[in-house]
Amino acid sequence: MKKKVVVALGHRALGTTLPEQKEAVKRSAGMIADLIEEGYQVAITHSNAPQLGMIHTLNEFGKSHTDYTQAPMSVCSAMSQGYIGYDLQNAIRTELLDRGIFRTVSTILTQVTVDPYDEAFYTPTKVLGRYMSA
């Protein structure tokens, strides 16, 4: 039976800008490739708060441009998962190929259903986007 591991990339592990993310996924890809080389099956999960915040901030543009459609948070989340997954997938695949390991790497977008009455939502603590003063 193959050994399995889940790699969780936390809140700031992927940076807060696109250039930072490119560098972060390269570093992560090396460590993930090490696990694959050791025989592990790897699943990766990641935060997306900084990226989701960047995407959602684009909705501010729509407030002053009537021909621009604003996206709901669920669509912004899918966009962030897609582009984070795309960058991770490509970096891991490149790292594996550089090591002579010919394995597929895939990205899967997910949806989560949460309880809207969960008390944690009364005082949210997760930062999405920019802080703005009154």
Side-chain angles (χ1 to χ4, degrees):
M1 182 148 100
K2 283 209 170 210
K3 301 177 281 183
K4 298 176 184 177
V5 65
V6 175
V7 175
L9 301 174
H11 180 68
R12 299 266 181 213
L14 297 173
T16 59
T17 66
L18 288 174
E20 286 177 6
Q21 180 171 304
K22 290 285 189 185
E23 286 303 314
V25 297
K26 281 182 188 176
R27 286 191 306 275
S28 298
M31 291 180 256
I32 292 165
D34 289 344
L35 292 168
I36 294 168
E37 207 165 33
E38 291 175 27
Y40 286 92
Q41 287 182 323
V42 179
I44 303 161
T45 183
H46 58 80
S47 172
N48 67 339
Q51 293 79 4
L52 181 57
M54 285 186 286
I55 291 169
H56 196 260
T57 299
L58 295 174
N59 280 335
E60 292 177 24
F61 182 79
K63 293 176 183 174
S64 58
H65 295 81
T66 56
D67 59 335
Y68 179 83
T69 304
Q70 295 184 41
M73 187 63 81
S74 60
V75 173
C76 294
S77 182
M79 289 178 186
S80 69
Q81 286 183 54
Y83 92 74
I84 293 168
Y86 178 82
D87 281 350
L88 276 169
Q89 181 176 327
N90 287 332
I92 294 166
R93 183 172 177 274
T94 297
E95 183 68 29
L96 292 174
L97 288 174
D98 287 349
R99 296 177 187 208
I101 301 169
F102 302 99
R103 301 275 301 274
T104 58
V105 181
S106 301
T107 297
I108 300 171
L109 301 188
T110 60
Q111 292 181 318
V112 176
T113 302
V114 296
D115 179 358
Y117 302 107
D118 186 322
E119 291 184 18
F121 291 105
Y122 299 151
T123 54
T125 58
K126 187 170 184 174
V127 177
L128 294 176
R130 300 177 288 144
Y131 283 106
M132 299 175 83
S133 66

